Amino acid sequence: MFDRLTHPLHYAEDLLARFTALAGSRGSRQLQERLVEAASSLTGCPLGQLFLLDATHTQLTLAAEWLDGQPHSREADTVSSDYNDQQLLQYCLCQNQVLYLAQLDNSLYATPFLPATNADWRSLLCLPLHDDQQHVAGLLLLASHEALELHGYADSLQLLGNFALHQLHLLQQVQQGQSSTTEVREPAPNYPRGYGLIGDSPAMQAVYQLIGKVLHNPVTVLLTGETGTGKELVARAIHDYGSRRTQPFIAQNCAALPENLLESELFGYRKGAFTGADKDHRGLIDSADGGTLFLDEIGDMPLALQAKLLRVLQEGEVRPLGSSDTHMVDVRIIAATHQDLQAQVRDGQFREDLYYRLTHFPIELPPLRERGEDIRILAMHFADEACCFLQREICRWSDSALEHLAGYSFPGNVRELKGLIARALLLCDGNLLLPEHFNLPETISQPNGLSLRERMERVERNLLLDCLQRNQGNQTSAASELGLPRRTLLYRMQRLNISPADLKSRERNHVQSGQ
């Protein structure tokens, strides 16, 4: 353990003293600060940091920091569960690997977790720390402005950090129910930014929050919602932003194949298992070993196969067709359906035990009609995407066209919207998308439940916003253009709830649409 150190005996004595000091800590805060101070002193690094995962393993928080020989206090940094722009921490945490960089190149690596100083950080050592169950529960990080050989400290400091975590757990158990438990800082949750999905509506924010809870936890997820709401995209997001991102993601629609073929595709088969089986075939479950298997339309899976899938979920065992032996797999199952599985259970069309095994963590995706402004954002995104595919100039949007789409109920949801955009671009001979390019039933295109007065107010609101935007927010100029006294314009803006934020949002949308 000490072969790479210059004075191993002196280091071992100092290390033992640090263990003794940690064991004598009287509180969680003192224990955390003693750990980072010990790591910094033992290695000669000016910076020591301790990051801890919360109980759900979805938030990584800077718990203690030692800088230039003293505790460094700053607002608790919380890294969201997708670890965006935190690739170094993410690697160490998700891969459970020691990370050592002798030459830290800031142009290659994002290091927002390091404090800003006059000199650049050059050497970095990051160690995963483990709890009693040997799960990664935190990180111990050392950094230096000079090029230091830090790798030789990895094993001993990891032991010291693990010991500190065990002590911290014991202290928290003792402090439970006492006022001193407030000593452990509990920062507000830092929810992620969309995981590559599009939409900022409250309904989608709730979905993002749920996704963040399962990224690094291997629980089975059931995605529900109407057809076309993007269930496979959410499944891919859970895989791509989670701890299995480097492993395979395999998708299979359970309604696309007949029962016998679906069974052989999922579980594989051995040579001679049936007529035409002239060689062994590796099933999708085995192909997804270590990664994620997405089973779309799980409600259409035959009952006989449901029993075999339940075995995989409960025991992690797979037995290919034609084989008498089982083998273990480590695969995460994400299932999806637009059907009511509970009703299918009552009707005997779906196994009750499999239903309860799949619904450990359900995520319901909202229909497009409940996502408000997301319709506008998605429409412009799909239009830009289609224009690039068609190799044509980016089309602009008329406000009336966007208003036309906003009032439609979209029974086919996002999939239907994407198809409507593609068709409209083919019908658009110029460079401006208009309502007539969208073939929407008039009875549906009107906003459901709105009175004539409400519809008139919506038209008036768009008119005022357009005028204010043309005049760059100048209310006097806008009132002059509309032939209104400025006081009347202000009254109408207040009545229609028009704020400066609405103008900024509208400007952003127009920039994105090419106007």
Side-chain angles (χ1 to χ4, degrees):
M1 182 182 295
F2 304 140
D3 288 346
R4 300 185 184 181
L5 303 181
T6 306
H7 302 289
L9 182 58
H10 292 165
Y11 177 80
E13 291 175 348
D14 197 2
L15 180 66
L16 184 59
R18 299 294 179 174
F19 272 100
T20 304
L22 290 179
S25 300
R26 295 182 177 274
S28 302
R29 189 72 201 143
Q30 185 183 55
L31 176 64
Q32 293 167 3
E33 289 186 351
R34 282 184 175 179
L35 173 61
V36 291
E37 186 273 332
S40 176
S41 176
L42 288 168
T43 60
C45 291
L47 176 67
Q49 292 179 325
L50 173 65
F51 293 89
L52 295 178
L53 279 171
D54 69 350
T56 63
H57 281 211
T58 58
Q59 300 293 334
L60 184 68
T61 303
L62 178 60
E65 186 173 57
W66 190 267
L67 181 63
D68 294 332
Q70 60 185 356
H72 185 232
S73 298
R74 56 170 164 161
E75 187 176 348
D77 286 343
T78 303
V79 182
S80 64
S81 50
D82 62 348
Y83 306 126
N84 191 49
D85 298 329
Q86 309 277 357
Q87 290 87 353
L88 298 181
L89 300 184
Q90 171 199 6
Y91 170 81
C92 190
L93 194 65
C94 296
Q95 301 299 323
N96 191 15
Q97 295 288 330
V98 173
L99 175 65
Y100 168 60
L101 294 175
Q103 295 291 335
L104 182 62
D105 189 341
N106 292 327
S107 64
L108 293 178
Y109 306 108
T111 56
F113 50 87
L114 297 178
T117 58
N118 294 330
D120 292 335
W121 297 104
R122 293 189 61 188
S123 297
L124 182 142
L125 177 67
C126 190
L127 308 169
L129 304 181
H130 303 95
D131 59 16
D132 296 334
Q133 288 75 41
Q134 295 305 305
H135 298 148
V136 180
L139 300 173
L140 181 61
L141 185 142
L142 288 308
S144 171
H145 298 301
E146 302 175 358
L148 296 180
E149 176 59 49
L150 299 175
H151 199 266
Y153 297 99
D155 293 338
S156 57
L157 289 184
Q158 199 167 31
L159 289 176
L160 186 69
N162 291 341
F163 175 77
L165 281 193
H166 299 322
Q167 291 294 109
L168 181 62
H169 180 66
L170 291 174
L171 283 173
Q172 290 172 343
Q173 283 184 326
V174 171
Q175 293 169 345
Q176 269 186 347
Q178 301 176 7
S179 59
S180 59
T181 56
T182 58
E183 182 181 356
V184 181
R185 288 183 286 181
E186 296 290 345
N190 181 15
Y191 294 129
R193 290 176 291 276
Y195 305 108
L197 304 173
I198 298 174
D200 298 320
S201 63
M204 287 305 295
Q205 291 294 334
V207 171
Y208 301 152
Q209 179 182 349
L210 293 175
I211 290 175
K213 296 297 182 183
V214 295
L215 287 184
H216 312 293
N217 294 304
V219 297
T220 302
V221 178
L222 178 65
L223 303 174
T224 62
E226 297 178 7
T227 182
T229 50
K231 292 184 280 292
E232 184 169 349
L233 288 177
V234 173
R236 286 188 178 274
I238 293 173
H239 175 82
D240 291 343
Y241 287 84
S243 55
R244 295 175 179 254
R245 72 188 73 191
T246 59
Q247 301 301 318
F249 175 88
I250 296 178
Q252 175 61 52
N253 190 312
C254 298
L257 298 173
E259 179 177 350
N260 293 336
L261 187 54
L262 180 61
E263 182 178 10
S264 62
E265 279 298 302
L266 288 178
F267 295 90
Y269 54 80
R270 296 289 179 258
K271 181 179 179 180
F274 51 83
T275 304
D278 54 355
K279 61 180 180 180
D280 289 351
H281 175 70
R282 182 180 172 89
L284 296 181
I285 296 176
D286 282 319
S287 298
D289 192 15
T292 303
L293 177 63
F294 174 58
L295 296 176
D296 199 5
E297 300 300 345
I298 190 72
D300 292 315
M301 177 176 282
L303 284 168
L305 278 186
Q306 292 178 24
K308 295 193 69 172
L309 178 62
L310 181 63
R311 187 72 180 174
V312 176
L313 289 170
Q314 289 186 162
E315 307 297 336
E317 291 182 354
V318 173
R319 186 173 70 179
L321 293 175
S323 174
S324 58
D325 298 323
T326 62
H327 58 271
M328 304 298 292
V329 292
D330 174 24
V331 60
R332 180 186 200 163
I333 302 292
I334 300 179
T337 182
H338 71 280
Q339 303 181 35
D340 185 350
L341 290 187
Q342 202 165 17
Q344 287 188 302
V345 170
R346 290 194 299 267
D347 296 338
Q349 299 175 356
F350 200 85
R351 291 182 63 100
E352 185 176 14
D353 47 6
L354 179 59
Y355 169 77
Y356 289 117
R357 188 63 181 79
L358 289 174
T359 54
H360 279 187
F361 200 93
I363 299 178
E364 183 174 2
L365 304 189
L368 189 54
R369 60 183 174 274
E370 296 179 3
R371 293 177 55 180
E373 189 67 15
D374 286 354
I375 296 177
R376 180 188 296 261
I377 298 173
L378 286 165
M380 292 189 292
H381 169 77
F382 290 145
D384 293 348
E385 193 178 65
C387 286
C388 292
F389 176 76
L390 296 172
Q391 296 183 354
R392 60 179 289 179
E393 184 182 353
I394 299 296
C395 281
R396 296 180 295 113
W397 284 84
S398 65
D399 287 336
S400 54
L402 290 172
E403 188 72 23
H404 194 54
L405 286 179
Y408 184 49
S409 60
F410 287 102
N413 294 293
V414 181
R415 185 184 293 118
E416 182 183 10
L417 173 62
K418 189 173 184 178
L420 285 171
I421 299 297
R423 180 179 183 275
L425 286 173
L426 295 176
L427 294 175
C428 180
D429 295 325
N431 197 37
L432 181 65
L433 287 170
L434 300 170
E436 52 263 33
H437 296 140
F438 299 91
N439 186 23
L440 304 181
E442 288 297 327
T443 54
I444 301 179
S445 64
Q446 295 296 341
N448 295 329
L450 293 184
S451 66
L452 177 60
R453 179 175 179 177
E454 289 170 329
R455 295 177 188 177
M456 293 294 290
E457 287 181 348
R458 176 173 289 193
V459 172
E460 182 183 359
R461 190 175 192 275
N462 285 330
L463 178 64
L464 294 183
L465 283 170
D466 282 341
C467 186
L468 287 166
Q469 184 181 344
R470 283 195 301 272
N471 289 278
Q472 300 178 336
N474 188 306
Q475 297 168 356
T476 302
S477 299
S480 178
E481 179 182 329
L482 293 170
L484 296 173
R486 185 174 181 274
R487 183 178 299 176
T488 302
L489 176 63
L490 293 176
Y491 166 75
R492 290 180 180 273
M493 288 176 61
Q494 184 178 10
R495 182 170 60 84
L496 297 172
N497 195 26
I498 295 176
S499 66
D502 294 322
L503 288 175
K504 292 181 181 179
S505 175
R506 198 176 187 85
E507 288 173 2
R508 285 196 303 268
N509 292 336
H510 279 229
V511 169
Q512 293 173 4
S513 64
Q515 289 186 348

